[in-house]
Amino acid sequence: MFHLTIVLLLSVLCHTTHGISKLPPYIKPCSQSVPNFNECAIKNGREALSTVVKGDPKYHIPCLDPLKLDKISLQGSDNLQLYAEDLQLIGLKSAEIMDIDWNLNSKTIKIEIHIPEMRAIGQYNLDGRVLIMNLKGTGRMNNTHYNCQILMNCSYDVYNRKDKEYIKITNITIEFLNEKSHFQFSNLLNNQQISDQMNSFLNENSEVVVKETMPSINKVIQTVTLSVLNPLVEKIPLEEIVTA
């Protein structure tokens, strides 16, 4: 399993949300008094997602398709190290919210999202071992995951500031599931023929590769989500998100 160190530099995290006190017009609030509160959250979330993915400079929401990551560094078992730079994640524009379970009493939110296809493209530097294969190389990567499911569990606190209540997200756990993956790392061991053979091996064992690598990917998603959401919700009162 990958563990130990995950370093993520995401350019959007440098932004703040000074001066924002209301939801963007395309994100509609839900009333906590209605019996179908979660159904309202799902409906409004689906309607907003297509606009949110495009980004909104006014609210410092970056374009999410492609989502550009400056650098990711992963370190894990068998001394495996993967560095990816100029990374682009493509496919979020096709994401669909399948379910939302927002419990106002326990201050928890569960969200299920389906993405038909997600691609990760960028420069990589890889050194280490996956399964029985020793891998080493530098070049381009183009990895695709099909029928992806993201299960997000969020917990938060509510605090008062200037007579208004605000949310602070305290914990997020992510589980990434997918049906199939296709890996393409160019220039493994500086030999195209060997590189093709190694990629074939990875694709033939894609389920095992994904199972081993997903804990680290989940951690990256958690870091990004928490770092993007908290600066936004700390500027918008809870009453703007959930009405009486």
Side-chain angles (χ1 to χ4, degrees):
M1 292 291 181
F2 284 79
H3 58 293
L4 297 181
T5 304
I6 295 179
V7 179
L8 177 65
L9 299 178
L10 181 62
S11 59
V12 68
L13 301 185
C14 297
H15 295 303
T16 59
T17 52
H18 296 303
I20 296 174
S21 60
K22 292 184 178 296
L23 282 175
Y26 45 84
I27 301 180
K28 300 175 183 177
C30 290
S31 172
Q32 60 183 308
S33 62
V34 298
N36 57 345
F37 174 77
N38 284 325
E39 292 180 14
C40 173
I42 294 170
K43 177 179 179 294
N44 291 353
R46 286 174 175 171
E47 292 176 355
L49 189 57
S50 60
T51 302
V52 171
V53 167
K54 296 175 184 177
D56 187 341
K58 180 180 178 180
Y59 288 85
H60 302 286
I61 301 173
C63 176
L64 300 179
D65 197 347
L67 176 61
K68 298 180 179 180
L69 305 177
D70 291 339
K71 183 178 180 180
I72 292 178
S73 174
L74 304 175
Q75 297 181 347
S77 61
D78 294 320
N79 297 315
L80 181 65
Q81 295 182 329
L82 172 63
Y83 302 94
E85 296 182 341
D86 300 325
L87 192 65
Q88 294 189 55
L89 301 182
I90 302 169
L92 283 175
K93 65 182 178 182
S94 299
E96 181 179 2
I97 295 174
M98 305 304 294
D99 191 32
I100 295 178
D101 182 4
W102 189 339
N103 190 314
L104 296 169
N105 294 321
S106 64
K107 299 183 179 63
T108 58
I109 305 173
K110 298 179 181 180
I111 303 175
E112 178 184 343
I113 298 174
H114 177 259
I115 307 171
E117 181 178 313
M118 277 286 292
R119 283 201 298 157
I121 301 174
Q123 295 291 128
Y124 83 91
N125 186 311
L126 178 64
D127 188 7
R129 182 183 180 91
V130 173
L131 298 175
I132 62 172
M133 187 74 71
N134 290 318
L135 301 174
K136 185 178 180 66
T138 301
R140 294 286 296 174
M141 57 176 278
N142 187 341
N143 300 333
T144 307
H145 302 285
Y146 301 95
N147 284 332
C148 306
Q149 184 183 30
I150 296 177
L151 305 176
M152 181 185 305
N153 288 280
C154 230
S155 58
Y156 63 91
D157 287 333
V158 177
Y159 65 97
N160 286 285
R161 189 175 77 236
K162 295 182 178 179
D163 298 324
K164 290 185 180 293
E165 291 186 331
Y166 292 83
I167 286 176
K168 180 176 179 58
I169 298 171
T170 56
N171 185 58
I172 289 181
T173 60
I174 301 288
E175 184 178 6
F176 181 97
L177 306 170
N178 74 302
E179 180 181 314
K180 178 183 176 183
S181 297
H182 183 270
F183 302 99
Q184 182 63 45
F185 294 98
S186 69
N187 200 42
L188 288 169
L189 295 182
N190 296 314
N191 184 298
Q192 187 58 50
Q193 183 176 357
I194 294 177
S195 185
D196 290 342
Q197 293 173 353
M198 288 184 168
N199 280 303
S200 294
F201 174 83
L202 291 175
N203 289 319
E204 289 170 1
N205 297 276
S206 63
E207 290 185 6
V208 178
V209 175
V210 169
K211 183 178 180 180
E212 182 172 347
T213 59
M214 274 308 114
S216 61
I217 301 303
N218 291 344
K219 186 63 177 178
V220 169
I221 298 174
Q222 290 173 26
T223 303
V224 173
T225 305
L226 191 59
S227 299
V228 171
L229 283 182
N230 261 336
L232 182 62
V233 297
E234 72 180 9
K235 301 298 181 181
I236 301 175
L238 180 58
E239 65 186 24
E240 290 286 330
I241 304 171
V242 179
T243 60

